[in-house]
Amino acid sequence: MATLQDTLTNTLKNKTVIQNHMRQHQKCWEAPPEPDNNASSHPIQVFVRVRPLLQRDIDSGAFSLVMVQPPRTVHFTHPTNRWTGGCFATKTYDADGVFDEETTNDTVYDRLQLQGMVKQALSEPGHEFCVMAYGQTGTGKTYTTTAIEERLTAEVFSLMPDESTPKLSLTAFEIRGGKAYDLLSEPSHNPVQITSANGSSTYPGLGKHGVSTQEDLVTLLAKAKELRMTRSTVKNDTSSRSHCIVTLHVEHTAGSGSDIIIVDLAGSERSSYATKNDPERVKESIETNKGLAALKDCIRARLSVSNQHIPWRSSKLTMALRGAFEQSPARASKLIVLACISPSIIDSEDTMGTLKYITPFQLTGDAALEASKHHTGGSSRLDHASEWGHDDSVAYIKRQLPKFAPVIPRLLPDQSSTLASLFPLSSAELLALASTPGPDEDPAAPLLDARSTNQLRSWIDAYHKKLVGLQKRLENEEQRQAANPKQAVQRSGTTKEAQLLRSLDGLNLEANDTGFVTRIDRLGRVVRVPVREG
């Protein structure tokens, strides 16, 4: 099993190859997704922020493995050491917005459209706005949420409506080790009980502090930040070891108001790092990861159409954030998830984990539930592959089926040819199509030599077997659903062909979607560069 030092050593040794791999991948970038004009009305939005390389990264020789394609796409190159040498794969993720290392806090605030939420909360009751920072420790979650709170503090009183002045109050508490503590109490860290009664969460022991001026708000927020628990871990000397939940309550009339919630989640840690801490830290990490897993379940359940149950009682964290998941005629909720990631090779596994965590939040309906169930990640397209046109199909083949790239003019000779037209072909028919020169080709300059043709034949056979296997599994699933209609899961796609093509689009791990891959042998030689020009 390769260690972090092995991975770092191998990556630095092959820095030139990896950076060339990333440039080759960049040539295959598709056009960025069209802006979603209705995105602000979606109940859940996801943004990704990439922090700069830190001094410890620079001192170790690490370089950035993340490429940001504004406004909504991030490409992450993930190295692994499956053997001496390694494999470098680039995965592509879409979000509602992405921020690179140079993005300022003010730009982040504006892109999240938080000013509009503040105006709405101040002008009318019945809203719950929640901004949540997620990611491993040391990726800038606290830095970002603190900046958001500072901007919020400056705007709340300047945006106060003239016709009526709502009452403002603030609560702040942290959750660590499965227990909650008030960050504004006297004496400090008064225990808070998070309970559920009559279908809602209550907080015995949590103090609510009135806010009359901007100075009051600044003082309270500073006190809460100062008292929050921070400890040294393997990854960060001043890691926030608790979930911090700050809520600005806006009361319009007695018992009626809106809430603005800023959540700075504790840094997620893989068990391999958590076990290197002392026993108390290990216990805290276990509880933290349990809460984050429950949070993910609640968000994907909120997005599901058929699943009406949201398991918010699963942890103290989700009980405290219950209002952000549920929607009712009397109260509208809005959740913004800001995923903070590191571009460094030192944190590559945690960065991949963060991006996989948020992937299901990009889907709607039951697709979110299914994608999360299959631990799916790395898809840059979420529409049906059966609906792709010629250009979409060509772009997909170049990136995901690179051995076909040289013969694309044979496989898709005109604008009417798409990936869907290739699916019904047998292995022999596919090989014949790939091996037959087109009318415009020069017979004296074949696209493939004999060796490449044999390799293509071998790869086609393996690929076709995978399709057959997928088809068989779908048939078995249909039979199970027919036998147990009440347990059937509603799926997108109306035909078997559409379902199979959708699985090839990276929404099902059984499709073996490997992304853009460069391999290096034991001697450090590049043995496979997927994209070939021409």
Side-chain angles (χ1 to χ4, degrees):
M1 186 69 177
T3 64
L4 174 61
Q5 187 58 47
D6 293 333
T7 302
L8 180 59
T9 300
N10 182 63
T11 302
L12 296 180
K13 177 183 176 182
N14 296 290
K15 179 177 179 179
T16 302
V17 174
I18 297 172
Q19 290 180 329
N20 180 62
H21 159 96
M22 294 171 70
R23 285 191 292 269
Q24 288 290 94
H25 179 271
Q26 189 171 2
K27 294 178 182 179
C28 298
W29 283 4
E30 301 174 8
E34 292 294 327
D36 187 352
N37 297 326
N38 297 320
S40 59
S41 64
H42 295 171
I44 296 176
Q45 287 185 277
V46 178
F47 295 81
V48 178
R49 187 178 195 184
V50 185
R51 71 153 169 80
L53 290 171
L54 303 179
Q55 190 60 48
R56 67 179 177 90
D57 302 316
I58 298 172
D59 292 343
S60 67
F63 54 97
S64 178
L65 297 174
V66 174
M67 294 183 292
V68 171
Q69 182 186 7
R72 295 179 52 195
T73 305
V74 60
H75 307 271
F76 175 60
T77 298
H78 181 260
T80 60
N81 276 24
R82 298 181 181 178
W83 59 81
T84 303
C87 168
F88 304 93
T90 298
K91 290 288 187 179
T92 300
Y93 298 84
D94 283 343
D96 292 287
V98 293
F99 309 109
D100 62 17
E101 300 92 327
E102 304 298 326
T103 305
T104 65
N105 288 325
D106 284 341
T107 300
V108 172
Y109 188 93
D110 293 337
R111 285 282 304 280
L112 298 184
Q113 299 183 344
L114 297 184
Q115 186 182 79
M117 298 181 192
V118 173
K119 287 182 178 180
Q120 201 166 5
L122 292 174
S123 60
E124 57 188 48
H127 296 282
E128 182 140 348
F129 300 112
C130 180
V131 180
M132 179 186 303
Y134 171 82
Q136 74 171 107
T137 182
T139 52
K141 299 185 304 299
T142 301
Y143 171 78
T144 301
T145 55
T146 300
I148 289 175
E149 290 170 357
E150 291 174 353
R151 179 79 179 267
L152 182 70
T153 299
E155 289 195 337
V156 162
F157 290 94
S158 64
L159 296 175
M160 194 73 71
D162 297 330
E163 59 275 10
S164 62
T165 303
K167 294 181 180 179
L168 303 180
S169 59
L170 189 78
T171 61
F173 64 97
E174 65 176 353
I175 300 175
R176 50 183 165 91
K179 297 180 181 179
Y181 302 92
D182 193 340
L183 293 175
L184 298 176
S185 63
E186 294 291 347
S188 62
H189 296 102
N190 185 47
V192 176
Q193 301 297 318
I194 303 178
T195 62
S196 61
N198 301 320
S200 62
S201 297
T202 57
Y203 309 91
L206 180 62
K208 183 179 289 190
H209 302 264
V211 176
S212 302
T213 66
Q214 181 175 337
E215 289 71 22
D216 291 343
L217 193 52
V218 169
T219 301
L220 290 171
L221 288 173
K223 180 181 179 181
K225 291 295 181 184
E226 181 181 353
L227 293 177
R228 187 184 178 190
M229 180 64 68
T230 60
R231 287 174 176 161
S232 176
T233 67
V234 174
K235 301 291 287 185
N236 189 359
D237 291 337
T238 57
S239 174
S240 300
R241 303 315 305 148
S242 65
H243 306 300
C244 179
I245 302 175
V246 175
T247 304
L248 179 65
H249 304 275
V250 183
E251 185 177 345
H252 293 273
T253 58
S256 176
S258 294
D259 291 333
I260 302 173
I261 308 171
I262 310 296
V263 183
D264 182 8
L265 295 171
S268 59
E269 282 189 332
R270 290 180 290 121
S271 58
S272 58
Y273 284 125
T275 54
K276 296 179 183 179
N277 298 313
D278 62 55
E280 185 178 356
R281 310 293 188 276
V282 171
K283 182 178 179 180
E284 287 180 357
S285 296
I286 291 174
E287 291 298 326
T288 294
N289 291 337
K290 283 182 180 179
L292 295 175
L295 176 64
K296 182 178 182 179
D297 290 339
C298 288
I299 295 177
R300 71 187 190 191
R302 171 68 181 87
L303 291 169
S304 175
V305 175
S306 61
N307 183 19
Q308 299 298 320
H309 172 66
I310 298 178
W312 55 270
R313 291 184 177 87
S314 300
S315 72
K316 297 296 184 183
L317 174 62
T318 51
M319 288 177 66
L321 299 177
R322 170 182 174 269
F325 312 129
E326 295 191 336
Q327 195 86 0
S328 69
R331 196 166 185 84
S333 65
K334 169 79 174 187
L335 173 62
I336 294 177
V337 180
L338 181 60
C340 299
I341 63 174
S342 162
S344 172
I345 172 61
I346 298 174
D347 305 310
S348 59
E349 291 190 39
D350 292 291
T351 297
M352 178 64 79
T354 297
L355 293 172
K356 285 185 176 180
Y357 183 93
I358 66 170
T359 294
F361 308 160
Q362 295 301 297
L363 307 176
T364 57
D366 295 325
L369 199 61
E370 285 302 297
S372 185
K373 185 185 300 181
H374 292 293
H375 305 286
T376 303
S379 171
S380 65
R381 300 186 61 87
L382 300 179
D383 53 353
H384 290 269
S386 58
E387 299 173 357
W388 291 359
H390 176 79
D391 294 340
D392 290 331
S393 299
V394 168
Y396 180 84
I397 289 176
K398 283 184 176 180
R399 192 181 63 209
Q400 307 288 36
L401 312 176
K403 291 190 178 181
F404 279 156
V407 293
I408 286 177
R410 300 176 183 178
L411 298 174
L412 305 174
D414 52 52
Q415 288 295 319
S416 64
S417 306
T418 66
L419 190 65
S421 64
L422 299 180
F423 179 78
L425 301 181
S426 65
S427 177
E429 290 171 329
L430 199 58
L431 179 62
L433 187 61
S435 304
T436 304
D440 298 330
E441 290 185 37
D442 182 0
L447 291 177
L448 298 176
D449 55 25
R451 182 172 179 271
S452 297
T453 301
N454 289 333
Q455 289 178 340
L456 187 61
R457 178 185 292 108
S458 172
W459 192 81
I460 286 175
D461 289 338
Y463 177 68
H464 193 262
K465 288 178 181 178
K466 293 177 183 178
L467 291 182
V468 172
L470 283 171
Q471 188 170 5
K472 183 64 176 176
R473 280 190 285 272
L474 283 171
E475 291 174 351
N476 293 339
E477 182 178 338
E478 288 175 353
Q479 292 174 1
R480 288 195 297 270
Q481 290 184 359
N484 301 284
K486 292 184 178 180
Q487 299 179 8
V489 178
Q490 196 73 21
R491 294 181 179 274
S492 57
T494 56
T495 66
K496 188 177 300 181
E497 177 179 325
Q499 291 172 352
L500 285 174
L501 286 170
R502 186 170 177 81
S503 70
L504 291 178
D505 190 30
L507 298 182
N508 187 331
L509 269 190
E510 293 176 339
N512 280 345
D513 180 6
T514 58
F516 186 93
V517 178
T518 293
R519 300 185 188 279
I520 301 174
D521 68 7
R522 295 176 184 272
L523 300 178
R525 297 172 301 188
V526 179
V527 295
R528 178 187 173 199
V529 179
V531 172
R532 293 176 54 184
E533 298 300 326

